[in-house]
Amino acid sequence: MATKKAATSKKKTSTTSNSTAKKSVASKKSTTKPVVVEEEIVEIVETVETTSSDKKKTIGEKFAALKPGALIAEFLGTFVLAGAVIQLASNGLSGSIGIALVLTVLVIVLGVISGAHLNPAITIAQYVNRKIDGVKAVCYIVAQVLGAIAAFCVLYALWQNTLDAQIISSLTAQGITQDQIDAA
């Protein structure tokens, strides 16, 4: 066992103060407690064993440990990000800045809930680096894909009439008549 000795400083000013200094050093030595290294090592080993046993969960236990809030956050975050990308991607530099700002806000807001992956590529990278387990990765990817599909469907429903009008105007500009468009 290793013991820790207290550091002492002695100043010699006179013989009477020297004797009192010796008494205080003796009292300090008697109050110091030995540090037991072996017990600390045992505690560290027990902690490591506890964390390694947590990795041996079944798929059902891992699925039950998923937080619904995290999946909802991934779905909504991907929905908003995909919508921003679909809507702003064709606006050049201002669109890119808008997408960056949307992504920044989403990461700040959703980062504490789910880690704000918001992209299957990031989720796969986290899985490869062993930051998340496979069940969580698959559930996050499903939520992200569903969020992106939902964003596309909502934007398509909102802008369908505008898109149809743009298609018809570009076809008529090329010399195709309305009757040919309706027949097609």
Side-chain angles (χ1 to χ4, degrees):
M1 277 199 255
T3 58
K4 186 177 179 182
K5 294 183 180 180
T8 59
S9 62
K10 295 180 187 178
K11 283 187 175 180
K12 290 187 179 182
T13 55
S14 69
T15 56
T16 57
S17 64
N18 189 15
S19 65
T20 56
K22 287 181 182 179
K23 289 179 185 177
S24 66
V25 168
S27 65
K28 284 183 183 179
K29 284 184 181 179
S30 64
T31 60
T32 59
K33 297 178 183 177
V35 177
V36 179
V37 178
E38 292 174 5
E39 289 178 7
E40 291 177 7
I41 292 173
V42 170
E43 289 177 12
I44 292 171
V45 169
E46 289 174 354
T47 306
V48 169
E49 288 175 355
T50 307
T51 56
S52 66
S53 67
D54 291 342
K55 293 180 182 179
K56 297 178 183 178
K57 293 182 180 176
T58 65
I59 292 175
E61 291 172 343
K62 289 179 183 180
F63 187 71
L66 277 175
K67 297 178 184 175
L71 296 176
I72 293 169
E74 287 294 321
F75 175 83
L76 291 177
T78 306
F79 176 84
V80 171
L81 182 62
V85 169
I86 292 168
Q87 196 63 29
L88 299 174
S90 62
N91 291 344
L93 180 62
S94 62
S96 298
I97 292 172
I99 292 168
L101 290 174
V102 167
L103 181 61
T104 302
V105 170
L106 288 172
V107 167
I108 290 170
V109 172
L110 301 176
V112 289
I113 299 170
S114 68
H117 296 185
L118 307 177
N119 187 337
I122 295 171
T123 304
I124 291 169
Q126 292 289 328
Y127 172 71
V128 167
N129 289 326
R130 299 289 180 210
K131 303 286 182 181
I132 61 173
D133 61 357
V135 173
K136 187 182 237 182
V138 168
C139 291
Y140 274 21
I141 290 171
V142 168
Q144 292 161 356
V145 169
L146 290 176
I149 290 171
F152 175 77
C153 292
V154 167
L155 288 176
Y156 182 75
L158 288 174
W159 304 113
Q160 180 180 5
N161 293 334
T162 307
L163 291 173
D164 291 344
Q166 288 177 349
I167 292 170
I168 291 171
S169 66
S170 65
L171 289 174
T172 55
Q174 294 178 1
I176 300 172
T177 64
Q178 185 65 34
D179 293 333
Q180 292 172 333
I181 294 172
D182 291 337

